[in-house]
Amino acid sequence: MMIIRRRERHLTPQTLPRDLVCDYQAEYDSDIVAVKLDNALHDLQTPVGAARSLEFVELNSEDGFKIYRRTVQFLLNIAVSEVFPRSEITVHFMVNKGLYFTVKFERERELTARDIAAVEEKMRELVAKNLPITKETMAKDEAARLFAAGGGAEKAAIIAALNQETVSVYRCGKYLDYFYGAMIGATGSLGRFNIEPCPPGLLLRTPALHSGGDIPRKVWQPKLKNILTEAKEWANILNCNYVTDLNRAVANDEIGEIIRVSEALHEKKIAKIAYHIAKNADKLRLILIAGPSSSGKTSFAQRLRIQLKADGLKPISVSLDDYFVNREDTPKNERGEYDYECLEALDTDLFNRNMADLTAGKTITPPTYNFVKGCREIDVNKKISVGKNQPIIIEGIHGLNDKLTAAVPRENKFKIYVSALTQLNIDAHNRIPTTEARLLRRLVRDNNFRGASAMRTLKMWPDVREGEEKHIFPFQEDADVMFNTALIYELGVLKSRAVALLESVPKDVPEYTRARQLLGFCRHFAEIPADEVPNNSILREFIGQN
């Protein structure tokens, strides 16, 4: 007996969800693109088996748009393989509200606008033909041999290392590929996309949840693209572009070298930022640090403070938490809950007055926030003043928003955007979203230091992401410098701690869907012991000290 839409229905274990779609599509606002069987996400070609519940996933959902984008990427790969048969396409990162790709030709040359137009024409042709995209299950050794023979060494190696006997691959016509995640079953549903030049590669944009289901307007993000490109350059320095490279280093007992060089790259970049601030210390009075959840802002701020001291400065830190308005004055969200992440939750008038006075050489009496009572308190004996060699470090999600520090001239502020931007790919066609790495960081940290279960952290994550979209990402291009806190080896370290937490999530809760996805993601990585992680590493903010 199967429960579908709170109704019972008799199905055989061999029933395919795609054969049920026509009976339920009218009850959904957008196309059904996948299914959850006992809260585990699958494509519509997966037999229901012994599952007790079935929930359809529609396009107009976070999972739905991810599946749509993944399948359009599959379409792009097919088109490139047909238009330029001896080329190699690689997905890199999200930027400018789209996925950035490069194409390597057999005879090295630049990708042109005419090339991209030809690829788009082929994609539109494939959509018009409405070709089936079928899932095939084969022995993993057979799949590995197929991809190795076709030049996909990384893909073959990652499949061969999976702890399972079979693997699912997707086929459209003669094209076969391995994608990490569910796919839509036909090309005819994939007409909503834009493809355009983004030198030296191309940009693929598809509908997104936060764009209301439309293709988002392109937003040029040159600073973000530069830091993401730097991340790939660091991966090249480490000779570690794919998960297979990392796993090979673990197997060959070379991971210690990768850890030390990764940390050295961090230290070098932090020292460079500190030197710039010190060189302009007479002008740069406020050092504002902002970034999304689990980006390592606190550890970065501490390491920057040490480097500034090494350059002869005496920085002080001011906590934005002390400037919360009283609890009863805190705005509420649409659910009637206090919204501590909106800018209005802070007394920006008082903060601006205090920062303007400090940078003018005056003494202030800052507030202290009592989180138990939910109100600000003033200690008249607590005074702060700063000298010319004392920059003020301020860390918080609104640091890049000029409204927070409107009373201080822009030339007296140095803004730093901090985020964890993963350098690794699973293979050339499967990228690692930065949100996956940040969520694993948060799962481990919240359990280590806040006693939070994985289920609680997963339940909170959508609200956290919504806050980032509102309060952080729109301001990131105003940063004077961006710092990538991701460490190329960290997912192997986090895996050993995250897996047990994720396995504790019950199957009968909605959070099980995300937990199962993360578990599947973690299985690609060899475990890395934390012993060699330096105690000043940003990663220690999440895993704790030795």
Side-chain angles (χ1 to χ4, degrees):
M1 187 71 69
M2 173 76 71
I3 304 297
I4 308 176
R5 305 286 285 178
R6 296 180 296 277
R7 302 191 296 269
E8 292 185 349
R9 182 163 176 176
H10 289 283
L11 301 174
T12 67
Q14 293 75 35
T15 301
L16 300 181
R18 70 183 180 191
D19 296 332
L20 306 173
V21 169
C22 60
D23 297 337
Y24 296 92
Q25 181 61 71
E27 301 178 33
Y28 290 84
D29 295 327
S30 58
D31 289 347
I32 292 171
V33 295
V35 67
K36 292 179 183 179
L37 300 172
D38 289 344
N39 280 328
L41 186 66
H42 296 280
D43 58 42
L44 295 171
Q45 302 178 54
T46 301
V48 299
R52 302 295 300 276
S53 68
L54 183 153
E55 178 186 349
F56 288 111
V57 176
E58 61 179 322
L59 176 62
N60 190 23
S61 66
E62 183 175 3
D63 283 325
F65 285 122
K66 286 180 180 178
I67 291 166
Y68 187 88
R69 183 174 63 211
R70 184 183 301 121
T71 316
V72 174
Q73 182 189 339
F74 181 70
L75 184 74
L76 171 63
N77 291 358
I78 299 170
V80 169
S81 72
E82 292 192 10
V83 177
F84 305 109
R86 287 174 291 279
S87 64
E88 298 175 12
I89 185 167
T90 301
V91 60
H92 293 281
F93 40 71
M94 288 288 296
V95 71
N96 302 338
K97 298 297 181 182
L99 267 180
Y100 174 71
F101 296 80
T102 56
V103 178
K104 182 179 180 181
F105 296 97
E106 185 180 29
R107 294 183 177 178
E108 190 171 336
R109 66 176 180 84
E110 293 184 358
L111 183 71
T112 68
R114 180 177 294 181
D115 294 333
I116 295 170
V119 170
E120 179 177 7
E121 182 180 356
K122 174 59 68 172
M123 291 175 72
R124 302 289 179 193
E125 178 187 319
L126 294 169
V127 171
K129 290 181 177 179
N130 194 23
L131 301 172
I133 299 172
T134 57
K135 183 171 72 173
E136 298 180 8
T137 300
M138 61 178 66
K140 72 171 184 180
D141 292 341
E142 179 187 354
R145 282 195 298 272
L146 276 174
F147 288 117
E154 298 85 11
K155 197 181 296 287
I158 203 73
I159 290 173
L162 292 175
N163 187 25
Q164 59 193 56
E165 295 301 317
T166 62
V167 65
S168 295
V169 296
Y170 289 91
R171 182 185 297 277
C172 184
K174 295 181 180 179
Y175 186 83
L176 188 73
D177 208 344
Y178 168 78
F179 267 79
Y180 173 62
M183 303 270 274
I184 293 173
T187 62
S189 306
L190 307 175
R192 284 193 286 171
F193 65 85
N194 280 348
I195 179 173
E196 56 196 280
C198 184
L202 61 88
L203 193 70
L204 174 68
R205 292 185 293 123
T206 57
L209 184 61
H210 295 289
S211 64
D214 297 324
I215 298 173
R217 181 178 59 87
K218 181 171 63 181
V219 177
W220 284 113
Q221 298 172 308
K223 293 176 183 177
L224 181 61
K225 186 171 185 286
N226 286 341
I227 194 68
L228 288 164
T229 301
E230 178 191 72
K232 294 299 183 183
E233 290 170 355
W234 285 10
N236 288 334
I237 289 171
L238 294 161
N239 194 27
C240 196
N241 290 287
Y242 298 107
V243 173
T244 49
D245 298 325
L246 185 66
N247 292 345
R248 193 177 301 115
V250 175
N252 295 339
D253 200 25
E254 298 169 351
I255 194 62
E257 180 84 355
I258 286 179
I259 289 174
R260 288 186 287 275
V261 176
S262 297
E263 296 291 346
L265 288 167
H266 266 191
E267 198 64 35
K268 184 178 179 181
K269 182 73 178 283
I270 295 171
K272 184 178 180 181
I273 293 170
Y275 177 76
H276 174 83
I277 294 169
K279 190 176 179 182
N280 298 278
D282 58 331
K283 181 176 67 173
L284 302 177
R285 307 300 295 133
L286 295 189
I287 313 304
L288 297 151
I289 301 170
S293 173
S294 304
S295 56
K297 298 182 293 294
T298 301
S299 294
F300 170 80
Q302 173 65 7
R303 287 177 65 172
L304 179 65
R305 187 178 70 84
I306 297 300
Q307 286 289 348
L308 289 170
K309 283 190 169 186
D311 285 324
L313 301 183
K314 297 180 179 179
I316 70 163
S317 297
V318 172
S319 174
L320 278 176
D321 287 354
D322 285 329
Y323 287 86
F324 276 124
V325 298
N326 294 334
R327 188 168 295 152
E328 63 267 22
D329 300 322
T330 304
K332 293 184 178 181
N333 58 27
E334 60 273 10
R335 295 184 298 277
E337 302 165 341
Y338 289 120
D339 186 357
Y340 294 106
E341 294 198 342
C342 69
L343 184 64
E344 292 73 22
L346 298 171
D347 188 339
T348 53
D349 291 338
L350 176 61
F351 185 75
N352 268 281
R353 289 198 304 272
N354 281 180
M355 293 306 104
D357 287 345
L358 277 179
T359 55
K362 299 178 181 179
T363 299
I364 68 166
T365 304
T368 299
Y369 197 82
N370 186 321
F371 283 90
V372 176
K373 296 180 180 179
C375 63
R376 286 203 311 261
E377 298 174 341
I378 299 293
D379 180 355
V380 295
N381 296 315
K382 181 183 176 183
K383 306 287 185 182
I384 296 179
S385 61
V386 296
K388 289 292 185 181
N389 69 336
Q390 289 186 284
I392 303 163
I393 297 176
I394 301 161
E395 175 215 327
I397 64 172
H398 298 289
L400 303 185
N401 186 344
D402 248 355
K403 291 181 180 179
L404 177 69
T405 53
V408 179
R410 181 64 178 89
E411 61 266 24
N412 298 136
K413 294 181 281 194
F414 190 74
K415 298 182 178 183
I416 306 173
Y417 176 71
V418 175
S419 191
L421 305 167
T422 311
Q423 303 98 325
L424 282 176
N425 271 22
I426 293 176
D427 60 44
H429 299 163
N430 288 273
R431 58 183 282 269
I432 297 176
T434 60
T435 52
E436 304 288 83
R438 286 196 295 115
L439 179 50
L440 286 174
R441 279 182 170 190
R442 180 151 181 161
L443 281 165
V444 172
R445 182 199 66 189
D446 285 7
N447 183 260
N448 277 342
F449 303 112
R450 303 176 186 179
S453 67
M455 188 171 73
R456 179 183 173 189
T457 301
L458 292 172
K459 188 173 184 178
M460 292 172 54
W461 190 246
D463 289 340
V464 172
R465 294 282 294 115
E466 184 178 344
E468 293 168 353
E469 293 287 344
K470 288 181 181 178
H471 306 306
I472 299 174
F473 297 146
F475 304 101
Q476 61 189 8
E477 282 295 314
D478 194 41
D480 295 294
V481 68
M482 292 186 176
F483 182 81
N484 181 14
T485 67
L487 291 154
I488 207 160
Y489 67 87
E490 70 176 78
L491 292 169
V493 176
L494 292 169
K495 173 186 176 176
S496 62
R497 297 157 188 256
V499 167
L501 296 173
L502 293 166
E503 287 178 339
S504 72
V505 178
K507 292 184 177 181
D508 59 350
V509 297
E511 290 74 30
Y512 178 74
T513 304
R514 195 77 171 94
R516 192 174 184 276
Q517 289 174 321
L518 288 169
L519 281 169
F521 168 70
C522 285
R523 69 181 177 174
H524 293 102
F525 294 86
E527 288 191 12
I528 299 173
D531 296 350
E532 291 195 72
V533 179
N535 278 333
N536 71 334
S537 172
I538 282 172
L539 190 54
R540 288 291 175 189
E541 182 177 328
F542 307 95
I543 65 174
Q545 300 297 322
N546 275 332

